[in-house]
Amino acid sequence: MNLVFNINGAAHSLTLEPRVTLLDTLREHLGLTGTKKGCDHGQCGSCTVIVDGRRVLSCLTFAATCQGKTVTTIEGLARGNDLHSMQAAFIKHDGFQCGYCTPGQICSAIAMLDEAKNGEASYVTQDVRQTPRSVQLSDDEIRERMSGNICRCGAYPNIVAAIQEVHTERAQTWQFMGENNQVIFEAAKAPVKIHEAV
């Protein structure tokens, strides 16, 4: 099949067999190896990418179904040296250890925040009968909505903290104390700049 994709803002034309997955297309045909192959069965979330603003498991998605759609991978989030706010928050909060699941975690988190902004409910949403509106995410909401992304290292509390910071669009205040309990450095609260993911 002759296919045309928009991947990370660039058009790509490929000739692929119909059974080739989006994950294998990204990694083997386009050299975009940031998206990881974990279980290859849709159970771990490490291959999560964003297709037309929705998070998808690229190991379960045929490339042919993405014809004419916009695909965003971890490589497409930063703008030059300016990281996406979710990437910066993951670094700040140590939201990774080995880092293998991190690309999928970050892509999933970005799309998940858009789902919440659009008022989409989750299993732990208090009242699903309300008119859809932006959902203020509790830590439980974030954990539930991110439950399809597994971290074998167990960095979940830090992942939740990073997502919560971006969700509230407020950087946390950090103080470093010197001798005599004097503040020697303080990172002031400031809005976090959020890029358009797609």
Side-chain angles (χ1 to χ4, degrees):
M1 298 180 69
N2 295 318
L3 302 171
V4 178
F5 308 97
N6 182 331
I7 299 175
N8 299 328
H12 295 274
S13 297
L14 296 170
T15 302
L16 301 170
E17 292 185 9
R19 63 184 176 177
V20 175
T21 64
L22 178 58
L23 175 60
D24 289 339
T25 300
L26 294 170
R27 292 182 59 82
E28 297 175 17
H29 297 277
L30 296 173
L32 297 171
T33 57
T35 304
K36 302 303 183 208
K37 182 178 279 196
C39 66
D40 209 22
H41 288 85
Q43 297 176 348
C44 72
S46 64
C47 69
T48 305
V49 297
I50 303 168
V51 178
D52 282 350
R54 306 292 296 184
R55 51 188 168 160
V56 301
L57 299 169
S58 61
C59 74
L60 297 182
T61 304
F62 287 122
T65 65
C66 297
Q67 166 86 347
K69 296 183 179 177
T70 299
V71 179
T72 303
T73 69
I74 192 71
E75 292 94 342
L77 297 177
R79 299 293 180 256
N81 292 328
D82 188 14
L83 294 178
H84 186 285
S85 57
M86 190 66 74
Q87 292 172 305
F90 264 67
I91 292 169
K92 177 180 175 182
H93 290 278
D94 292 326
F96 53 89
Q97 288 181 39
C98 79
Y100 197 83
C101 73
T102 307
Q105 295 273 4
I106 290 174
C107 286
S108 185
I110 291 167
M112 181 271 293
L113 289 182
D114 284 340
E115 292 167 12
K117 184 187 285 186
N118 294 334
E120 296 179 30
S122 79
Y123 180 74
V124 296
T125 301
Q126 293 278 339
D127 186 358
V128 296
R129 293 170 295 187
Q130 291 182 348
T131 304
R133 58 183 172 76
S134 182
V135 178
Q136 189 62 34
L137 297 176
S138 65
D139 288 355
D140 284 341
E141 278 271 11
I142 291 172
R143 282 191 281 275
E144 169 61 24
R145 291 169 185 264
M146 291 293 293
S147 63
N149 291 83
I150 307 301
C151 174
R152 291 184 64 183
C153 300
Y156 297 115
N158 302 359
I159 291 168
V160 170
I163 295 170
Q164 194 65 266
E165 179 173 304
V166 176
H167 171 59
T168 58
E169 298 183 17
R170 300 291 297 177
Q172 295 180 359
T173 299
W174 300 88
Q175 291 184 341
F176 296 92
M177 307 301 275
E179 294 179 17
N180 302 321
N181 290 329
Q182 292 181 339
V183 176
I184 57 174
F185 175 78
E186 178 173 313
K189 283 191 174 185
V192 176
K193 181 179 179 184
I194 299 179
H195 290 303
E196 284 294 321
V198 287

